[in-house]
Amino acid sequence: MAAPRSPTRARERERSDAPAAGSDQVHSWTLATSQALDTVWRMAKGFVMLAVSFLVAAVCYFRRLHLYSGHKLKWWIGYLQRKFKRNLSVEAEVDLLSYCAREWKGETPRTKLMRKAYEELFWRHHIKCVRQVKRDNYDALRSVLFQIFSQGISFPSWMKEKDIVKLPEKLLFSQGCNWIQQYSFGPEKYTGSNVFGKLRKCVELLKTQWTEFNGIRDYHKRGSMCNTLFSDAILEYKLYEALKFIMLYQVTEVYEQMKTKKVIPSLFRLLFSRETSSDPLSFMMNHLNSVGDTCGLEQIDMFILGYSLEVKIKVFRLFKFNSRDFEVCYPEEPLRDWPEISLLTENDRHYHIPVF
């Protein structure tokens, strides 16, 4: 028979088991807390990684959007410049020496010659700015007409005495020039019987525009109107074709005078002495019809243009610097009361407008 337990030993065992139970409880709480913190950390880490991934994706997206938007914006700016600014066939004034430095870089003999020529214009002739003119086969006519309109120069004396709108029919019916039907409007070729109606519209437009510009006394208003007119290619080309016809009319008139043994200006004697322009028809077929299409005005054409419009056209030929042909006038001996306009050229093919 087992002896009964001692109450003292039971109490000692209970005391020894109590700390062990407390230690287990603390350990379980520590473990639970550690697990909770670990879970929270993993969640936080996952959230941070997700946020960083989202941020990187957003940065990449907006960077691509920025590049795309910048490209489209650049395209639209270029389009609008071409449509509203670059369409100006006579551009705004720019500093002459800055233009020279931009266009003529390097140390070749031709480059050095051009820089010296531009410096000559700036210091000796007091030309401070230049207006660039669109490079095509009308640019000589464009340069002259722009200055006539912007300066408000009046009609030539002979135009005040005649209705220039009727000149196409006059050549046909009064002087029997039925060959006028072979007149070419720049790139357009033979137009047949319709040529008279087209020429009449061109000449009528020239008369209307010239009258309007001549009636405006405010220089800035004329300049604003020039910017509008010389950004409309269709109207421009009609005006240039009208100028070509005016030149042809003057050649025809002087040729008729020569046939009656009248004294004619020396420049026309030179014109008619050439095999390719011995009469008005050959002048039109071999020279004038090509203007605006495959070539611009030649030097003798510049003489005829100045004579027809009664303006003194002074041209600075920069490639002829340090020679007697650096500065020439068309015609060489204009009447004293003819207004003067100035051009500059680097090659006798394309012209720009100097601004004093």
Side-chain angles (χ1 to χ4, degrees):
M1 184 171 178
R5 288 184 179 179
S6 171
T8 304
R9 286 184 179 180
R11 283 196 298 270
E12 287 177 357
R13 183 172 293 181
E14 288 176 1
R15 289 194 191 101
S16 65
D17 290 343
S23 177
D24 290 342
Q25 189 174 8
V26 169
H27 178 72
S28 65
W29 276 105
T30 302
L31 182 62
T33 302
S34 176
Q35 290 176 346
L37 289 174
D38 186 58
T39 303
V40 170
W41 168 247
R42 285 199 302 271
M43 291 177 62
K45 185 178 179 181
F47 177 77
V48 170
M49 292 298 293
L50 182 63
V52 169
S53 300
F54 177 78
L55 183 60
V56 171
V59 169
C60 292
Y61 172 78
F62 283 111
R63 184 173 181 273
R64 290 183 180 179
L65 181 62
H66 172 73
L67 292 175
Y68 176 78
S69 300
H71 176 74
K72 295 300 290 184
L73 180 62
K74 184 177 180 180
W75 186 89
W76 276 106
I77 290 174
Y79 171 78
L80 293 175
Q81 285 181 336
R82 291 191 299 271
K83 185 173 181 63
F84 297 107
K85 181 180 179 181
R86 293 304 178 187
N87 276 353
L88 284 175
S89 58
V90 179
E91 297 189 11
E93 300 174 9
V94 295
D95 179 76
L96 183 74
L97 295 184
S98 298
Y99 169 79
C100 171
R102 185 177 72 246
E103 296 293 323
W104 294 99
K105 300 176 182 178
E107 296 300 326
T108 65
R110 179 172 174 79
T111 297
K112 292 178 180 179
L113 178 72
M114 285 298 175
R115 286 203 293 261
K116 290 180 180 179
Y118 274 105
E119 289 172 2
E120 175 82 0
L121 294 182
F122 186 86
W123 295 112
R124 186 171 180 179
H125 296 277
H126 308 292
I127 297 174
K128 304 304 180 185
C129 298
V130 63
R131 301 187 74 136
Q132 292 178 257
V133 178
K134 180 181 178 181
R135 291 175 177 265
D136 61 14
N137 291 316
Y138 284 115
D139 60 359
L141 294 170
R142 180 181 292 111
S143 301
V144 169
L145 190 61
F146 182 90
Q147 292 187 78
I148 288 176
F149 284 176
S150 63
Q151 295 179 27
I153 295 174
S154 61
F155 282 109
S157 57
W158 69 269
M159 283 191 188
K160 297 176 182 177
E161 300 168 358
K162 299 178 181 180
D163 184 1
I164 61 173
V165 178
K166 297 179 181 179
L167 294 183
E169 286 83 357
K170 181 178 184 296
L171 284 183
L172 176 63
F173 298 113
S174 300
Q175 297 174 239
C177 301
N178 58 349
W179 44 261
I180 197 70
Q181 296 182 59
Q182 300 176 65
Y183 182 94
S184 291
F185 295 81
E188 295 183 38
K189 303 303 179 184
Y190 177 73
T191 53
S193 59
N194 190 40
V195 69
F196 298 102
K198 294 187 68 170
L199 278 174
R200 185 183 180 95
K201 290 179 180 179
C202 292
V203 176
E204 186 174 16
L205 177 65
L206 176 65
K207 180 181 179 180
T208 302
Q209 292 292 332
W210 201 331
T211 301
E212 186 175 0
F213 277 96
N214 182 242
I216 298 173
R217 296 294 170 236
D218 184 81
Y219 172 79
H220 297 289
K221 186 175 181 181
R222 287 200 304 268
S224 177
M225 290 179 61
C226 278
N227 289 337
T228 301
L229 177 61
F230 287 85
S231 61
D232 189 325
I234 296 177
L235 291 183
E236 271 193 82
Y237 295 150
K238 289 182 179 179
L239 294 173
Y240 306 146
E241 291 301 325
L243 290 181
K244 283 171 53 181
F245 174 74
I246 294 298
M247 294 168 61
L248 178 61
Y249 176 79
Q250 282 296 316
V251 169
T252 306
E253 286 284 286
V254 175
Y255 184 75
E256 293 298 320
Q257 295 172 11
M258 185 183 70
K259 289 199 302 184
T260 59
K261 307 300 181 181
K262 291 183 179 180
V263 178
I264 63 173
S266 58
L267 69 96
F268 286 99
R269 288 198 299 271
L270 175 62
L271 175 71
F272 297 133
S273 67
R274 302 189 305 178
E275 291 185 3
T276 57
S277 57
S278 57
D279 53 40
L281 172 59
S282 60
F283 170 68
M284 183 188 76
M285 296 298 295
N286 297 323
H287 298 277
L288 203 60
N289 276 355
S290 300
V291 174
D293 181 19
T294 59
C295 66
L297 296 184
E298 300 176 9
Q299 278 191 280
I300 195 166
D301 300 328
M302 296 290 284
F303 281 107
I304 297 171
L305 180 63
Y307 178 86
S308 301
L309 302 180
E310 293 185 0
V311 293
K312 176 183 177 181
I313 305 174
K314 180 188 289 186
V315 179
F316 296 98
R317 305 168 75 204
L318 305 188
F319 66 103
K320 294 290 187 180
F321 180 64
N322 276 339
S323 74
R324 57 180 295 180
D325 294 325
F326 174 65
E327 182 180 338
V328 296
C329 291
Y330 306 112
E332 292 179 337
E333 300 175 356
L335 297 180
R336 227 179 306 173
D337 59 344
W338 284 9
E340 179 179 297
I341 61 177
S342 299
L343 308 178
L344 65 85
T345 179
E346 298 171 347
N347 51 23
D348 265 352
R349 294 191 302 274
H350 299 294
Y351 295 84
H352 297 308
I353 300 173
V355 181
F356 294 84

